[in-house]
């Protein structure tokens, strides 16, 4: 199933809805109304769980990662304002980035063994599995 932008094709009353729609479809408004949440990849291996988050343009200091019971929360709040001696610009917009992503860890996750790194715009989080949850291969003899 795919998500499609719905336009009800309602008749315009004296052209008002066309004006209203064109104002809020302007990139100035639409860019700010869309929630920007980074995409993630989550994988499970025999040894643990791997979360990759695409978050380019940030530094590792911008991330706040915390674990509350079994809920792993990644948040970022970054405000960038470049000061300039020249104030002769015709348009300048502040840069502000903020998001929160949370992941419920399964019971098999070892919450005391979590590692995180950030390189090339990718936040990489590895959560180990508990020893008893790791899949062990053994040969079973047939009698």
């Amino acid at each position: 199933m795919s998500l499609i932008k719905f336009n009800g094709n309602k008749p315009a009353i004296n052209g008002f809805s066309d004006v209203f729609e064109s104002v809020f479809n302007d990139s100035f408004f639409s860019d700010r109304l869309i929630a920007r949440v980074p995409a993630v990849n989550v994988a499970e291996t025999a040894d643990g769980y791997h979360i990759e988050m695409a978050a380019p343009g940030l530094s590792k200091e911008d991330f706040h990662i915390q674990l509350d019971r079994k809920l792993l929360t990644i948040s970022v709040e970054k405000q960038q304002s470049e000061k300039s001696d020249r104030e002769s610009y015709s348009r300048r917009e502040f840069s502000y980035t903020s998001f929160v992503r949370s992941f419920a860890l399964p019971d098999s996750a070892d919450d005391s063994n979590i590692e995180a790194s950030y390189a090339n715009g990718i936040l990489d989080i590895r959560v180990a599995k508990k020893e008893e949850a790791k899949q062990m291969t053994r040969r079973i003899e047939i009698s």
Side-chain angles (χ1 to χ4, degrees), residues 14 24 31 38 40 62 71 74 82 116 118-119 132:
N14 296 332
F24 284 100
D31 287 348
V40 297
D62 296 329
L71 190 66
I74 305 163
E82 297 176 7
Y118 180 73
E132 61 270 11

Side-chain angles (χ1 to χ4, degrees), residues 44-55:
E44 179 179 0
T45 65
D47 295 328
Y49 303 94
H50 185 201
I51 301 170
E52 294 176 311
M53 177 180 288

Side-chain angles (χ1 to χ4, degrees), residues 111-130:
D111 56 5
S112 65
N113 191 357
I114 299 175
E115 297 177 354
S117 63
Y118 180 73
N120 301 324
I122 304 291
L123 177 65
D124 186 22
I125 300 175
R126 296 192 180 265
V127 181
K129 282 186 178 178
K130 295 177 183 175

Side-chain angles (χ1 to χ4, degrees), residues 5-126:
K5 182 178 177 183
F6 178 73
N7 183 357
N9 292 328
K10 296 179 183 175
I13 302 173
N14 296 332
F16 178 72
S17 67
D18 290 338
V19 172
F20 184 76
E21 186 175 321
S22 68
V23 167
F24 284 100
N25 283 335
D26 183 347
S27 66
F28 178 78
F29 288 106
S30 64
D31 287 348
R32 281 143 189 84
L33 294 175
I34 297 172
R36 291 192 172 106
V37 180
V40 297
N41 294 329
V42 179
E44 179 179 0
T45 65
D47 295 328
Y49 303 94
H50 185 201
I51 301 170
E52 294 176 311
M53 177 180 288
L58 299 172
S59 65
K60 68 179 186 177
E61 291 79 18
D62 296 329
F63 291 95
H64 302 284
I65 303 172
Q66 81 179 49
L67 182 67
D68 184 15
R69 298 181 191 172
K70 290 286 185 178
L71 190 66
L72 181 70
T73 302
I74 305 163
S75 62
V76 167
E77 187 170 359
K78 179 181 179 180
Q79 182 175 0
Q80 181 179 355
S81 62
E82 297 176 7
K83 302 224 176 188
S84 170
D85 295 337
R86 303 180 336 193
E87 292 191 16
S88 61
Y89 43 85
S90 61
R91 180 176 174 176
R92 180 177 171 200
E93 297 178 0
F94 292 98
S95 175
Y96 181 78
T97 302
S98 174
F99 65 84
V100 175
R101 292 290 308 254
S102 295
F103 303 92
L105 297 180
D107 291 334
S108 61
D110 182 2
D111 56 5
S112 65
N113 191 357
I114 299 175
E115 297 177 354
S117 63
Y118 180 73
N120 301 324
I122 304 291
L123 177 65
D124 186 22
I125 300 175
R126 296 192 180 265

